[in-house]
Amino acid sequence: MTTTTTFALIRHGQTDWNAAERIQGATDIPLNDIGRGQAADAVAPLSAYGWDFIVSSPLSRAAETADLIGHRLGLDEARRIPGLTERNYGPAEGLSAGAELEALRFPGGFHGAETEQDVAARGIDALRDLAREHPGARIIVVAHGTLIRLSLAHALDQHIGSITNASLNLVHHHHAQADDTTAWQLDLLNGEPLTRV
């Protein structure tokens, strides 16, 4: 028997640092008014599905986005999951493009930052834990662009581009109990259906 758990992976709404193209990472920057509007706009595409509950990163920009969405969809208060926190970029946080940021860069990352592999593993573990605890559920997960992108890339073993603020990314986690295997299927990326080959 195979159990399918469905996730709506939503990146939080815009912050002032997003607008200024500054690296946020684990720095707790709140939503701005545009971000609150984006969270409200995310409700319509989500309302086409039936959702059981909502969870989020504990960072305020994700938590507020989840609370705004959850309230409008009539869901209980979002549970905060530390594993969904954005990648820690270390000394690169707060910087925008320029010499200071470039001095920290090396192929595949930044000096003092959490590795892409660690971020992906943390994100996938959080999703697998949810699927194990709530098999067959339909769960909205509000997190962060890099965490969502790296987690999807790892799960699907393919390149995933940037994740836009408050867009719907619909993914299914299939768990076959007979041989304890899992498979992931991505149906929507940034609100757009994927074409199957």
Side-chain angles (χ1 to χ4, degrees):
M1 183 173 130
T2 300
T3 304
T4 299
T5 305
T6 300
F7 295 103
L9 304 180
I10 307 288
R11 181 184 175 191
H12 59 80
Q14 188 191 80
T15 71
D16 288 345
W17 279 24
N18 287 146
E21 298 184 351
R22 296 172 67 184
I23 294 177
Q24 291 180 119
T27 304
D28 199 359
I29 306 300
L31 291 180
N32 61 22
D33 288 341
I34 291 173
R36 290 181 189 94
Q38 290 171 332
D41 291 344
V43 172
L46 285 166
S47 64
Y49 306 87
W51 299 103
D52 295 309
F53 62 96
I54 187 167
V55 300
S56 80
S57 155
L59 294 179
S60 64
R61 59 191 183 268
E64 185 178 0
T65 300
D67 291 345
L68 289 166
I69 291 170
H71 176 74
R72 290 182 179 226
L73 290 175
L75 300 172
D76 290 337
E77 184 174 326
R79 187 174 117 209
R80 313 302 183 211
I81 299 179
L84 297 174
T85 301
E86 181 60 298
R87 180 183 188 184
N88 187 325
Y89 282 92
E93 294 189 11
L95 300 179
S96 53
E100 190 177 1
L101 183 61
E102 286 307 309
L104 294 170
R105 191 185 301 273
F106 66 89
F110 296 94
H111 294 286
E114 187 178 11
T115 68
E116 290 187 351
Q117 294 81 5
D118 285 349
V119 176
R122 182 163 52 76
I124 289 295
D125 284 349
L127 296 177
R128 283 186 179 140
D129 286 349
L130 285 165
R132 185 170 37 254
E133 293 165 15
H134 308 279
R138 300 175 70 81
I139 307 166
I140 300 172
V141 177
V142 181
H144 306 273
T146 299
L147 178 118
I148 293 170
R149 177 178 60 81
L150 294 176
S151 297
L152 286 175
H154 178 77
L156 301 166
D157 194 25
Q158 69 183 59
H159 172 77
I160 299 292
S162 295
I163 304 297
T164 57
N165 291 104
S167 64
L168 175 56
N169 303 283
L170 192 66
V171 64
H172 306 284
H173 174 271
H174 306 289
H175 179 246
Q177 294 173 343
D179 56 5
D180 198 34
T181 58
T182 61
W184 296 88
Q185 175 187 328
L186 182 63
D187 285 352
L188 295 175
L189 182 64
N190 291 323
E192 297 295 327
L194 297 183
T195 54
R196 305 277 179 220
V197 179

